[in-house]
Amino acid sequence: MKAKEIQELIDFISNTGLAEVKIETDEFKLSIKKFPDTTVVKSDNNPGHHQVSNPVAAAPVAAPAAPAPVKEETNNYIEVKSPMIGTFYRTANPDSDPFVTVGDRVVAGQTVCIIEAMKLFNEIESEISGKIVKVLVENATPVEYDQPLFLVDPAG
């Protein structure tokens, strides 16, 4: 890969909602991070996991803020939010079990879902440890940037 091609790739990624991209071929490995100290988003190397008839374009991602507590009777719960625009998937492929379900205990860094954006499958990791109290999004539905995906009880 030539320097000009790498620069074009960096420019393309900077205009998308992706925070990190890793590309590996027989000839080279390339890892690009938009925000070095933010939520980790991994590109899945198997794009055949899901069939999407209407791909959703990604929007630029601002540095994510700390998870905001949910109001009302769930004021001790924390939201896991989408770091990008895309399509939400609870499983790695249609035949797999969900990454997490209500009642599961998660730890910070654990994959909780996948968001497909521009034909790239991004593993979304929990920023906190706790118990999944509620899944707020239906499988295979579009999500917006900063949209709550899960409610987590940090005391659980």
Side-chain angles (χ1 to χ4, degrees):
M1 189 169 220
K2 296 179 180 158
K4 182 178 179 188
E5 293 171 317
I6 293 172
Q7 184 59 48
E8 289 172 356
L9 181 61
I10 291 170
D11 292 342
F12 172 77
I13 292 167
S14 69
N15 292 324
T16 69
L18 301 176
E20 179 180 359
V21 172
K22 291 182 182 180
I23 300 172
E24 185 174 336
T25 69
D26 292 336
E27 293 114 21
F28 67 90
K29 284 184 179 181
L30 180 66
S31 177
I32 302 170
K33 288 185 180 183
K34 198 174 207 180
F35 304 108
D37 296 316
T38 61
T39 304
V40 177
V41 180
K42 297 179 183 173
S43 175
D44 187 352
N45 289 335
N46 189 353
H49 281 323
H50 298 282
Q51 303 258 335
V52 179
S53 59
N54 185 15
V56 179
V61 175
V70 179
K71 294 174 178 58
E72 299 168 11
E73 69 278 353
T74 61
N75 61 0
N76 60 332
Y77 298 156
I78 297 175
E79 297 173 337
V80 174
K81 296 182 178 183
S82 176
M84 65 185 68
I85 294 174
T87 303
F88 171 86
Y89 294 105
R90 293 187 62 198
T91 62
N93 64 58
D95 299 325
S96 296
D97 291 332
F99 289 106
V100 295
T101 58
V102 173
D104 286 354
R105 174 124 176 81
V106 295
V107 295
Q110 179 179 343
T111 300
V112 293
C113 66
I114 290 177
I115 296 184
E116 183 269 335
M118 296 182 65
K119 303 291 184 194
L120 292 175
F121 293 86
N122 305 284
E123 293 180 357
I124 307 304
E125 297 177 351
S126 178
E127 293 178 347
I128 54 151
S129 297
K131 183 172 84 171
I132 300 290
V133 176
K134 188 171 185 178
V135 179
L136 302 171
V137 180
E138 292 294 320
N139 191 47
T141 58
V143 292
E144 296 292 325
Y145 168 72
D146 214 30
Q147 178 178 342
L149 306 173
F150 302 93
L151 286 182
V152 178
D153 182 357

